[in-house]
Amino acid sequence: MHRYANPTRFLKIARVATPIVALLGLALTAAGLWIGLFASPPDYQQGESVRIMYVHVPAAWLGAGGYMSLAIASATALIWRHPLATIAARAIAPAGAAFTAICLVSGSLWGKPTWGTYWVWDARLTSMLVLLFLYLGYLALSASEAEKGGEARASSILALVGVINLPIIKYSVEWWNTLHQGSSISVVNASSKIAPELLTPLLLSVAGFSFLFAAIVLMRMRAMLAQQRVEARSRRMAEALA
Amino acid sequence: MTEGVVARPDLWANFIWPAYAITLVGLLGLLIWAFVSMRSAEKKAEESKRR
């Protein structure tokens, strides 16, 4: 792992991987959403509104999964003080926040025809809103740390403290009586309660959104590494002139 | 085939089109922002290297 954490080696791999990952993401997302909209049948209970699932569920998984990777990168930055880990965390945060916001908005639009309301202070909805606030807090704190040129200590600690929210999101539908339905797919048991006609476009969308998430993170990491190179050169030049 | 589906009132009534539009605008906007910021940062890094 440390072998690939070298910024020069990482950039070499990222330059090749970025277009492949982005194109795979676009193709799989297009396929998933196309089948979800035009080829999959409506649900026997929810009717047409079930089609929102193909954008809502992948966004929710990546919002929560993205936070887990943000926390892992932050822990790596705190323990090993690896600069690439801090850059990875700072690259993950805006993508994770955007996916969480998409999940909340699409969920709200799904709530209106299903529950008769855009929003309820239900445990699942509230914990997802808290996740968005955690992302926004991390973004604000890490931006201020980056501006001052310091290490990402406070933002990394915030990211780690926020991990407590992930099991709350996962088990909120079991621990409390919620309007939000229980889980239909179990990754641990590799089982699903969803019919294959609806599951196929959902899995395609999940794969597509995941590749798009990875492409955004790779591009942001490349941008931040390039900015760091410019700043380091400017510093060296200023020192040489002094 | 798609034209009929696009005009279907039940897909508007169930907020399916707004949900898809917001998601796609969000995703593509994020992707374009990440790409443009990466290109401009790498261009600046190249220029500073040449100087």
Side-chain angles (χ1 to χ4, degrees):
Chain A
M1 197 66 196
H2 276 272
R3 215 165 79 86
Y4 297 102
N6 174 310
T8 314
R9 196 166 288 139
F10 167 79
L11 275 175
K12 223 175 180 179
I13 298 166
R15 278 193 197 109
V16 180
T18 308
I20 299 169
V21 171
L23 287 174
L24 262 173
L26 286 171
L28 287 169
T29 302
L33 298 188
W34 184 269
I35 298 171
L37 269 177
F38 304 124
S40 74
D43 182 64
Y44 78 105
Q45 270 183 326
Q46 294 192 36
E48 298 290 348
S49 70
V50 78
R51 295 184 199 282
I52 296 180
M53 171 176 75
Y54 307 120
V55 292
H56 173 73
V57 172
W61 283 10
L62 281 155
Y67 197 87
M68 196 63 222
S69 39
L70 170 69
I72 291 168
S74 297
T76 310
L78 272 179
I79 298 163
W80 288 289
R81 309 229 164 165
H82 202 292
L84 207 55
T86 307
I87 287 174
R90 284 178 178 163
I92 290 165
F99 277 76
T100 307
I102 288 171
C103 160
L104 285 167
V105 173
S106 58
S108 172
L109 289 170
W110 198 1
K112 185 65 182 167
T114 314
W115 304 329
T117 179
Y118 290 108
W119 185 264
V120 278
W121 292 100
D122 168 291
R124 172 60 70 84
L125 276 71
T126 309
S127 53
M128 277 310 282
L129 185 66
V130 169
L131 182 70
L132 178 65
F133 291 152
L134 282 167
Y135 270 124
L136 297 179
Y138 177 89
L139 280 168
L141 203 52
S142 71
S144 111
E145 282 174 336
E147 210 169 275
K148 287 176 186 161
E151 283 179 58
R153 283 182 71 85
S155 56
S156 298
I157 291 167
L158 172 69
L160 287 175
V161 170
V163 170
I164 191 74
N165 192 39
L166 295 181
I168 295 175
I169 294 172
K170 169 85 176 87
Y171 295 108
S172 56
V173 287
E174 291 171 28
W175 292 344
W176 294 283
N177 281 325
T178 58
L179 262 182
H180 195 285
Q181 66 178 73
S183 62
S184 308
I185 296 175
S186 167
V187 180
V188 180
N189 304 324
S191 64
S192 158
K193 294 174 194 160
I194 304 174
E197 297 88 347
L198 279 74
L199 188 62
T200 307
L202 177 62
L203 294 181
L204 278 170
S205 294
V206 168
F209 276 43
S210 306
F211 278 115
L212 287 179
F213 190 96
I216 292 160
V217 171
L218 281 175
M219 287 193 274
R220 287 301 302 146
M221 287 181 77
R222 282 174 61 178
M224 281 187 257
L225 283 169
Q227 276 166 6
Q228 278 191 350
R229 282 205 304 271
V230 174
E231 283 163 15
R233 264 188 217 114
S234 312
R235 261 201 310 274
R236 276 202 302 273
M237 276 170 75
E239 279 166 13
L241 288 170
Chain B
M1 173 189 123
T2 55
E3 274 172 26
V5 177
V6 171
R8 265 169 53 182
D10 51 345
L11 295 188
W12 285 103
N14 287 305
F15 298 107
I16 292 161
W17 293 134
Y20 273 65
I22 290 166
T23 303
L24 290 177
V25 166
L27 277 183
L28 293 177
L30 199 63
L31 203 64
I32 291 166
W33 164 71
F35 179 75
V36 170
S37 66
M38 176 194 77
R39 290 290 294 167
S40 89
E42 287 187 340
K43 217 172 161 185
K44 272 184 198 158
E46 265 314 301
E47 278 167 15
S48 83
K49 197 178 173 183
R50 257 185 265 135
R51 260 188 268 136

